[in-house]
Amino acid sequence: MVGPILLLIRTKRANRSQVTEKIPEHKIRFRPAYPYLAAAMLMLVLTSHCVRNAPNLEENRPAVLSLQENNNSYRLGERIRYLKDTSGLTDRQILELPDDRFIRSTSIRPNFGFSHDPYWLRVTIDRGAEAGITWYLELRYASMDNIEVFLYRGSQRLSAEQGGDQFKFSRRFLNHRFVHFLLQFPYEGRYTMLIRVSGQDTLELPLYLLSARALTRSTYETNLLQGIYYGILIVMALYNFFLFVFLRDQSYIYYVIYICALIMYQLADHGFGYQYLWPDSPYFQARAVTLTASLTAVAVVAFSLSYLRVRRYSRLLLRGFQAIVVGYVLLAILSFIVEPITALQILTAVFIIVPIYAIFAGAYIYYRGYRPALYYLIAWSGLTASATYYVLSTVGAIPGNSLTAHAVYFGTTLEVVLLSIGLASRINLLKSERDLIELRRKEAVQRNQVIENDLNQARLIQHNLMPRKLPDRSDLIIARRYIPMDKVGGDLYGFIDFNNGDLGIFIADVSGHGISAAMISLMTKHQMDSWAHVIDSPAETIAILNDNILTRTGGNFVTIFYAIIKPDRIIYANAGHPYPLLIKKDSDIVDELKGRGRLLGIYRDIRCHEYEVAFDPGDRLVLYTDGVVEIGVETEVSDEQLHRLLLENRRLNAEQMMVQMMKSLATMNQSRPFVDDVTLVCVDRAKSGDDVRN
């Protein structure tokens, strides 16, 4: 595709150089790019030809699928007989039709393209004596609107299930991006499975029959590959975002926006968007691919205009890109007006416009002497070839297989890497265009931006290490609040589940603030999460923790309170932390859980003691850090005030008490920001009849 363009450009420039002044050599050397592009295009063409014309080794497979003990996975593509239903037949009528009414599939991934009429599939299954009873039918295509599965034994219908994107995701049998159906073969012998498919998207049917073990393995392997793919995209986005912070070149931020749009499109196309982002909206799911693909095309144009400097080299190219933006914006709007199948057919028809135009623009601007356009040209050539390969298989023009299914993965990965390299190659050009004095003036601002982003990343890491959900306990009601003073803080808390049903709970505070305190808190949290569940003594746990972090705190220290809640009592130890408060049922007294122990991270022998106290139904335990009492520069909450607040709110449940406590503290501080990290954890021993849902 791009080879003739490069050949024409090279020949034209070589001829022109004979009659005009000599052109610098670095501007006419296309040899490094052309052989690789030509080889890549030739490989794809040959592969497609081989896939189309290779003898089908599966045609000799028996029409009946025999389930055996030693096989956990069966591909159904070659076993399928299909029929286009133009008369609205029922499953009973389909069951009674003779075999000669059906067409035998010869593809491992049958694909009927876009169709307003449904298709019926019939598969005959013979369960051997040693084969398992429970199997799972998996459709490895995430955009099927409606699929109905009927299982018969003779004329008796054993099950009838329905699924697909036209239903809310919560209706699915498994929390999986693909649709699954549970099939039971209770008796040895022959069964008939009928499948009816219809929808607004292409009817692609990579069907598999899996055992539970095979399903688990397949899901793990697929998610691993998907994780690597999305990880590469995210790394490229973050890498170029940091380059944007350093260089302040708009091309980098446009590239990051393009990658983010590409990720959203892939999430929609792969089914992850429906699984995690809009599971309750079949209406949006039917339009998500068209919408995200259109937004991705707009992002491509924005990036191309900046990267290629189109305004400098060609106003005609600029108008063409602007027309593409208008067209895809209209398509995005149209996706909510017309039927989804119509919008998808339009998208499939016009998808090639963007990559072809991008290749032409890259070739022209490289011809004009802009060297970074070479990376752009190669990247879009590879993506265009892979995307064309994928779309041809999607509409049924070539047979589908694992290569076509993953072609876009390879193409987009290659593209984002090459474009990232191309962006990096602009750094030298940027240095030659910008004055060094201007760069030095901006260094301080750029460093602050990097630090700000580092803080945001550290905050995200710290937030992810905090308990995302509370322990699911039938005997305890737990509520918590955590408010760091800075982007990251030194407070931490956590829960430890013991095999015997006991629950460990700890709260700690690292001296200082900012990244250093956050790193020590993350280290402490990791230590507790890693091994504390195997030691049933709080004092011993704190002693081991001190030994592990003693030489790693860099002059900071840690205070910690750790308790193990048993069915009738609390066993605890304290190393310099503010005393937790215990309010007994129907009592007007707040008891402090006093304990002796040295600060962690300073002394080798912390001499931590262990204590016990009864914890009965209706009792309340409150843990906090010193930020709860040292709330302002000139405002402190005394012990009496804190005790009074707890007693005033003791009739409220744990979550309501948290809300009221935070309001009271904010009022006492006159709504000014807190001067220290604030962490507050409340644990109620449930009484009979209490709602214990945390």
Side-chain angles (χ1 to χ4, degrees):
M1 183 183 299
V2 75
I5 298 176
L6 289 176
L7 180 61
L8 177 62
I9 292 173
R10 184 170 64 177
T11 303
K12 181 178 179 181
R13 295 195 65 173
N15 292 337
R16 189 170 66 178
S17 66
Q18 297 174 3
V19 297
T20 60
E21 61 181 354
K22 185 176 181 180
I23 300 174
E25 183 182 8
H26 71 274
K27 293 187 177 180
I28 62 174
R29 281 188 176 178
F30 286 80
R31 292 182 180 178
Y34 179 77
Y36 295 122
L37 288 172
M41 296 298 296
L42 180 62
M43 183 180 299
L44 283 171
V45 171
L46 292 176
T47 304
S48 176
H49 178 78
C50 293
V51 171
R52 176 185 289 275
N53 297 288
N56 190 353
L57 301 179
E58 306 294 343
E59 288 182 347
N60 296 325
R61 283 194 175 186
V64 177
L65 173 62
S66 179
L67 301 181
Q68 302 297 331
E69 179 186 13
N70 58 352
N71 197 344
N72 295 316
S73 175
Y74 298 90
R75 189 173 57 208
L76 302 185
E78 311 87 348
R79 315 276 188 174
I80 289 173
R81 295 182 182 274
Y82 62 88
L83 170 69
K84 187 175 184 178
D85 183 7
T86 59
S87 305
L89 300 176
T90 66
D91 57 302
R92 290 283 182 184
Q93 294 171 322
I94 292 294
L95 182 68
E96 295 170 358
L97 290 178
D99 286 345
D100 58 9
R101 290 286 303 276
F102 292 82
I103 301 174
R104 175 77 181 272
S105 169
T106 59
S107 173
I108 63 175
R109 295 173 66 93
N111 192 326
F112 306 121
F114 293 103
S115 175
H116 290 280
D117 297 316
Y119 275 79
W120 282 95
L121 317 176
R122 187 158 74 182
V123 183
T124 303
I125 301 173
D126 184 51
R127 186 208 148 198
E130 303 299 329
I133 296 175
T134 302
W135 294 80
Y136 299 88
L137 178 66
E138 179 180 73
L139 173 62
R140 293 182 183 175
Y141 180 62
S143 298
M144 184 65 66
D145 289 344
N146 183 54
I147 176 170
E148 301 172 58
V149 179
F150 306 89
L151 185 63
Y152 281 86
R153 188 170 187 265
S155 61
Q156 179 187 3
R157 187 166 72 181
L158 301 181
S159 64
E161 302 290 341
Q162 188 175 16
D165 288 353
Q166 73 178 27
F167 306 102
K168 290 185 177 181
F169 192 87
S170 58
R171 279 193 51 178
R172 295 197 178 183
F173 169 67
L174 294 177
N175 182 22
H176 199 286
R177 65 191 181 103
F178 294 143
V179 178
H180 295 83
F181 297 93
L182 176 65
L183 301 178
Q184 298 281 353
F185 300 91
Y187 310 106
E188 179 183 352
R190 185 161 294 189
Y191 297 78
T192 300
M193 180 169 60
L194 303 178
I195 304 173
R196 183 181 184 273
V197 293
S198 61
Q200 304 284 347
D201 211 324
T202 55
L203 301 182
E204 187 174 355
L205 298 166
L207 290 164
Y208 292 80
L209 192 63
L210 308 170
S211 67
R213 177 180 298 178
L215 175 59
T216 302
R217 183 176 63 250
S218 172
T219 301
Y220 170 78
E221 293 173 352
T222 302
N223 287 346
L224 178 61
L225 292 176
Q226 294 283 351
I228 294 173
Y229 172 70
Y230 285 107
I232 292 174
L233 295 184
I234 293 173
V235 167
M236 289 294 101
L238 290 175
Y239 168 71
N240 285 280
F241 177 75
F242 281 113
L243 287 180
F244 166 73
V245 172
F246 277 108
L247 302 176
R248 289 296 177 180
D249 188 329
Q250 289 185 347
S251 296
Y252 290 97
I253 196 63
Y254 285 136
Y255 184 54
V256 171
I257 293 173
Y258 162 61
I259 295 179
C260 292
L262 177 63
I263 291 174
M264 288 303 300
Y265 165 71
Q266 296 288 35
L267 289 175
D269 190 49
H270 297 164
F272 291 113
Y274 196 36
Q275 183 178 5
Y276 295 112
L277 301 181
W278 50 85
D280 295 326
S281 181
Y283 174 84
F284 184 79
Q285 171 63 11
R287 295 155 177 83
V289 170
T290 304
L291 177 63
T292 55
S294 301
L295 296 179
T296 302
V298 173
V300 166
V301 171
F303 167 71
S304 300
L305 292 176
S306 177
Y307 179 87
L308 295 176
R309 300 184 176 182
V310 175
R311 288 179 175 85
R312 174 183 297 182
Y313 290 101
S314 173
R315 290 190 175 274
L316 186 61
L317 283 179
L318 174 62
R319 294 190 185 98
F321 276 121
Q322 291 171 340
I324 290 174
V325 170
V326 172
Y328 273 99
V329 169
L330 291 176
L331 180 58
I333 298 173
L334 196 65
S335 65
F336 291 93
I337 300 176
V338 302
E339 289 294 321
I341 188 172
T342 304
L344 284 168
Q345 287 173 329
I346 296 174
L347 176 66
T348 304
V350 303
F351 95 97
I352 198 65
I353 293 176
V354 171
I356 291 297
Y357 196 81
I359 290 174
F360 176 77
Y364 174 78
I365 293 177
Y366 183 55
Y367 162 75
R368 292 287 302 272
Y370 186 57
R371 291 181 57 81
L374 178 61
Y375 294 98
Y376 181 92
L377 184 59
I378 298 174
W380 275 105
S381 299
L383 179 61
T384 302
S386 62
T388 303
Y389 199 34
Y390 172 75
V391 171
L392 289 177
S393 71
T394 298
V395 299
I398 62 175
N401 52 45
S402 58
L403 180 60
T404 61
H406 297 89
V408 176
Y409 293 164
F410 301 136
T412 53
T413 301
L414 175 65
E415 186 212 23
V416 297
V417 172
L418 285 176
L419 289 179
S420 182
I421 295 174
L423 282 169
S425 71
R426 288 162 46 98
I427 295 178
N428 291 332
L429 182 61
L430 182 65
K431 288 181 179 179
S432 66
E433 293 177 348
R434 291 186 178 181
D435 189 83
L436 291 178
I437 298 177
E438 182 68 11
L439 288 176
R440 289 170 181 171
R441 188 183 66 83
K442 293 182 177 180
E443 282 180 355
V445 176
Q446 292 167 355
R447 279 196 292 266
N448 289 337
Q449 291 288 342
V450 173
I451 293 173
E452 182 73 10
N453 284 283
D454 287 342
L455 286 172
N456 287 332
Q457 293 296 320
R459 181 183 183 184
L460 179 61
I461 295 172
Q462 185 180 34
H463 178 73
N464 290 337
L465 286 179
M466 291 296 183
R468 294 190 177 184
K469 62 179 182 178
L470 297 172
D472 186 11
R473 304 280 301 196
S474 61
D475 58 337
L476 299 173
I477 305 172
I478 305 174
R480 76 291 177 74
R481 288 293 185 277
Y482 170 66
I483 304 175
M485 184 193 74
D486 296 323
K487 294 285 186 182
V488 289
D491 285 9
L492 68 148
Y493 67 96
F495 305 97
I496 309 295
D497 288 315
F498 288 86
N499 293 333
N500 63 359
D502 293 345
L503 177 68
I505 178 171
F506 64 90
I507 185 169
D509 187 3
V510 180
S511 62
H513 305 286
I515 291 181
S516 62
M519 293 302 100
I520 297 173
S521 69
L522 296 180
M523 176 178 61
T524 304
K525 180 70 163 53
H526 175 72
Q527 289 281 334
M528 293 294 291
D529 290 343
S530 299
W531 48 261
H533 63 282
V534 301
I535 302 174
D536 59 359
S537 169
E540 183 180 352
T541 300
I542 292 177
I544 296 175
L545 175 64
N546 181 66
D547 292 339
N548 290 343
I549 70 172
L550 183 61
T551 60
R552 306 176 184 178
T553 57
N556 294 70
F557 61 85
V558 181
T559 69
I560 186 170
F561 172 87
Y562 177 43
I564 298 178
I565 302 177
K566 293 183 172 294
D568 59 345
R569 66 191 189 280
I570 297 173
I571 303 175
Y572 68 92
N574 195 330
H577 197 78
Y579 298 144
L581 304 175
L582 179 65
I583 306 173
K584 303 295 290 182
K585 177 184 177 183
D586 299 327
S587 174
D588 293 328
I589 300 176
V590 177
D591 295 323
E592 295 180 342
L593 299 188
K594 297 182 178 181
R596 295 177 56 191
R598 290 180 172 180
L599 304 174
L600 274 62
I602 298 178
Y603 307 99
R604 292 192 176 277
D605 180 13
I606 60 173
R607 301 176 184 177
C608 195
H609 298 268
E610 197 165 276
Y611 306 87
E612 288 190 14
V613 63
F615 194 45
D616 302 317
D619 292 353
R620 169 171 290 173
L621 176 64
V622 178
L623 294 76
Y624 62 96
T625 57
D626 56 7
V628 173
V629 294
E630 299 172 358
I631 57 176
V633 177
E634 299 179 356
T635 306
E636 289 192 4
V637 179
S638 65
D639 292 344
E640 292 76 10
Q641 290 175 309
L642 182 60
H643 294 179
R644 185 173 65 253
L645 287 176
L646 293 174
L647 290 174
E648 289 174 353
N649 299 305
R650 64 179 178 177
R651 301 301 179 189
L652 303 177
N653 63 35
E655 182 61 31
Q656 293 171 342
M657 189 274 288
M658 282 291 179
V659 174
Q660 192 58 43
M661 285 289 294
M662 297 310 298
K663 288 182 179 178
S664 299
L665 292 176
T667 301
M668 297 173 68
N669 198 35
Q670 301 178 4
S671 299
R672 292 190 294 263
F674 296 129
V675 298
D676 198 358
D677 306 329
V678 174
T679 304
L680 192 63
V681 181
C682 177
V683 182
D684 287 350
R685 173 75 76 184
K687 298 178 293 185
S688 177
D690 280 349
D691 182 2
V692 297
R693 293 172 298 176
N694 289 316

